[in-house]
Amino acid sequence: MNRRRDQIPKKDIMYTLLEDGSQYIVNESYFYKTEPYYTIVKNENDGIMTTPSSKDVLDAYIVPICLEKAKLAGIPVCDWTISYQFVPLPAIVYGLNYFSTPSDHFLVNENEEAKRVVKHITNHGKYPFCCQKILDSSTIVKCVSIFGRSVGCCEEITKIAERIYQVFKLPLVEIVMVKDGSGSYTLSSLAPVKYSRLSKEEKEMLQDLLDKKVKGFE
């Protein structure tokens, strides 16, 4: 059935692409206990080769594990530590409780602000958090990766996006990086990305892939 191009990607819809004997699950988020996550697990239980795997998803969305896995693969990453209270400033902070998502990160620059953030993401000290110390001159840069491809990014980010896809196999993901004063980039986290937040060029890139390979339009 033919569909208008502006109907895809469509909010909250999960797409399945078939290529090289594998099913590729394309969705805004692969977070634990979502439909895409359960689809991946079911496919694995049924012996269906699926990308990304359930392990890829869990590794990507738990910030400390993501950074260690990326570091082992030679991807430059931010230094990080796990804490319940102390925050070296300035820093990027991520929650690590059951409901935390790497989409929710906080840039803190002063003590009172850090106290408020830590109180929020730890549920009054019940859970730890991940803290990444950065330089005063550092900035946060975000890039959308579509099957390892990026639109309008510099050469260094493009190479990082390609390498991240090789390691984590997420068809659609937001790459959060820290750019230091020298212009170098380090990985801070990998996060879900909404279709609605894609640029026109990014939507066209994703639509081209879905037009050619998607199975079972909803």
Side-chain angles (χ1 to χ4, degrees):
M1 180 181 297
N2 292 326
R3 296 292 181 110
R4 290 176 55 197
R5 286 177 58 85
D6 61 3
Q7 287 184 307
I8 56 174
K10 190 174 181 180
K11 181 182 178 181
D12 297 329
I13 295 297
M14 181 183 70
Y15 299 97
T16 301
L17 281 65
L18 302 179
E19 186 173 357
D20 300 327
S22 181
Q23 286 193 8
Y24 290 78
I25 306 298
V26 181
N27 199 68
E28 296 169 299
S29 173
Y30 303 89
F31 201 60
Y32 182 58
K33 288 196 173 183
T34 60
E35 179 188 1
Y37 179 80
Y38 280 131
T39 299
I40 292 168
V41 172
K42 183 179 185 301
N43 282 356
E44 291 173 342
N45 289 338
D46 292 342
I48 300 171
M49 186 178 297
T50 305
T51 302
S53 69
S54 57
K55 183 178 185 302
D56 290 334
V57 172
L58 293 176
D59 287 351
Y61 283 173
I62 301 175
V63 176
I65 295 176
C66 170
L67 296 183
E68 285 303 292
K69 187 172 181 176
K71 183 178 180 180
L72 289 173
I75 298 170
V77 304
C78 294
D79 291 333
W80 61 274
T81 185
I82 294 177
S83 177
Y84 280 86
Q85 186 174 14
F86 175 70
V87 180
L89 301 176
I92 305 173
V93 179
Y94 294 88
L96 294 178
N97 66 67
Y98 181 80
F99 299 102
S100 294
T101 167
S103 294
D104 298 329
H105 62 267
F106 302 86
L107 176 61
V108 293
N109 292 286
E110 52 90 20
N111 285 322
E112 289 305 313
E113 179 185 20
K115 289 178 182 178
R116 290 194 298 270
V117 168
V118 168
K119 182 178 180 180
H120 169 66
I121 65 175
T122 65
N123 193 10
H124 300 270
K126 293 181 180 179
Y127 303 100
F129 60 89
C130 178
C131 179
Q132 301 170 3
K133 176 73 171 71
I134 62 174
L135 302 175
D136 291 330
S137 58
S138 296
T139 56
I140 297 177
V141 178
K142 299 178 182 179
C143 167
V144 172
S145 169
I146 302 171
F147 286 87
R149 306 175 197 175
S150 55
V151 176
C153 297
C154 68
E155 183 178 355
E156 184 176 354
I157 291 178
T158 298
K159 290 181 178 178
I160 291 174
E162 292 172 350
R163 189 69 184 117
I164 285 173
Y165 180 67
Q166 292 172 358
V167 175
F168 294 96
K169 299 295 184 183
L170 296 183
L172 181 63
V173 68
E174 183 174 68
I175 304 172
V176 181
M177 291 166 287
V178 173
K179 180 181 179 181
D180 65 21
S182 68
S184 296
Y185 295 87
T186 51
L187 176 64
S188 176
S189 69
L190 299 178
V193 56
K194 294 289 187 182
Y195 296 143
S196 61
R197 296 186 62 184
L198 299 178
S199 68
K200 178 181 177 182
E201 293 78 10
E202 290 163 346
K203 288 180 180 178
E204 289 177 349
M205 179 187 292
L206 182 55
Q207 286 171 342
D208 284 340
L209 291 169
L210 296 178
D211 284 344
K212 294 174 183 177
K213 304 173 186 178
V214 72
K215 174 188 177 183
F217 278 121
E218 307 242 355

